[in-house]
Amino acid sequence: MPEHSNPELPPLPYDYDALEPSISEQVVTWHHDTHHQSYVDSIQGAEETLAENREAGDFGGSAAAIRDVTHNGCGHYLHTLFWENMSPNGGGEPSGELADAIEEDFGSYEGWRGEFEAAADDASGWALLAYDPVADQLRNLVVDQHDQGALWGSHPVVALDVWEHSYYYDYGPDRGSFVENFFDVIDWDDVAEQYQKATSQ
Ligand code: MN
């Protein structure tokens, strides 16, 4: 059996100041190096607790550790996607198969975007665009924390972090402007790749 590999913090695919002015160098630095790192570290800690409890045959605390693995594992997964979804050369609108799918499943790009922005306004965590393989369609999801509101089996292709640590230093309580400016750095080429991967699984 292969050894499990420990989760690792992936390096950013661009410089820390590359997303300015949408997201400041300071926020990207804290968000990636401190917050994302802590989710990675916490998965490791919870896995160690589970292994120790199995070894000792004492499962007190194991349920809490399982929750920790889920919460931090989803945090790690979504942050990795969030970083990949952005680029200093982003912006514009989707094209090709992805654009066709958005139009088919949401009526139009504007229909998708308005709904996604409503999800981002309401979420206590994340707004996601995800491919649902059961219904074979794209769906927007409102996610609280990192994992509440997940749709089993679906594959997120856009992840927008609306935790306060993601925007408050730059925008204060004006989350709407942060969401608006996210669309200046969204990398539709990456989203198209994520969609391709999700639909070919
Ligand atoms: Mn975050």
Side-chain angles (χ1 to χ4, degrees), residues 1-191:
M1 241 169 85
E3 293 272 315
H4 292 156
S5 60
N6 293 332
E8 281 181 17
L9 181 67
L12 281 177
Y14 32 74
D15 291 337
Y16 286 85
D17 64 357
L19 302 177
E20 290 191 344
S22 293
I23 309 177
S24 68
E25 178 178 11
Q26 179 64 79
V27 166
V28 172
T29 304
W30 281 330
H31 200 168
H32 179 268
D33 292 7
T34 303
H35 292 278
H36 190 168
Q37 181 72 62
S38 82
Y39 299 124
V40 171
D41 294 344
S42 297
I43 300 167
Q44 191 63 21
E47 294 278 24
E48 279 165 19
T49 299
L50 289 173
E52 285 163 16
N53 289 2
R54 290 179 201 123
E55 188 73 21
D58 175 1
F59 299 98
S62 289
I66 291 169
R67 286 186 202 277
D68 281 348
V69 170
T70 306
H71 171 80
N72 292 290
C74 289
H76 174 41
Y77 176 89
L78 290 180
H79 280 90
T80 301
L81 180 60
F82 177 55
W83 303 127
E84 289 175 358
N85 278 163
M86 296 185 288
S87 155
N89 306 312
E93 292 189 12
S95 59
E97 273 180 45
L98 174 64
D100 294 345
I102 286 174
E103 201 168 312
E104 188 174 330
D105 296 332
F106 299 95
S108 64
Y109 171 77
E110 290 73 23
W112 166 72
R113 181 166 161 167
E115 189 180 292
F116 184 85
E117 288 181 350
D121 181 58
D122 197 61
S124 297
W126 298 80
L128 304 183
L129 172 64
Y131 174 68
D132 170 3
V134 177
D136 185 23
Q137 72 169 85
L138 289 163
R139 295 183 189 281
N140 286 321
L141 301 177
V142 176
V143 174
D144 297 328
Q145 299 288 316
H146 301 306
D147 48 358
Q148 296 167 25
L151 179 66
W152 306 123
S154 77
H155 303 280
V157 298
V158 175
L160 173 57
D161 189 338
V162 292
W163 284 55
E164 287 187 355
H165 66 228
S166 191
Y167 67 89
Y168 216 88
Y169 180 83
D170 289 336
Y171 295 92
D174 186 7
R175 186 190 291 188
S177 290
F178 165 63
V179 171
E180 191 75 18
N181 292 346
F182 168 72
F183 284 97
D184 290 337
V185 289
I186 188 170
D187 180 355
W188 286 112
D189 291 339
D190 177 73
V191 179

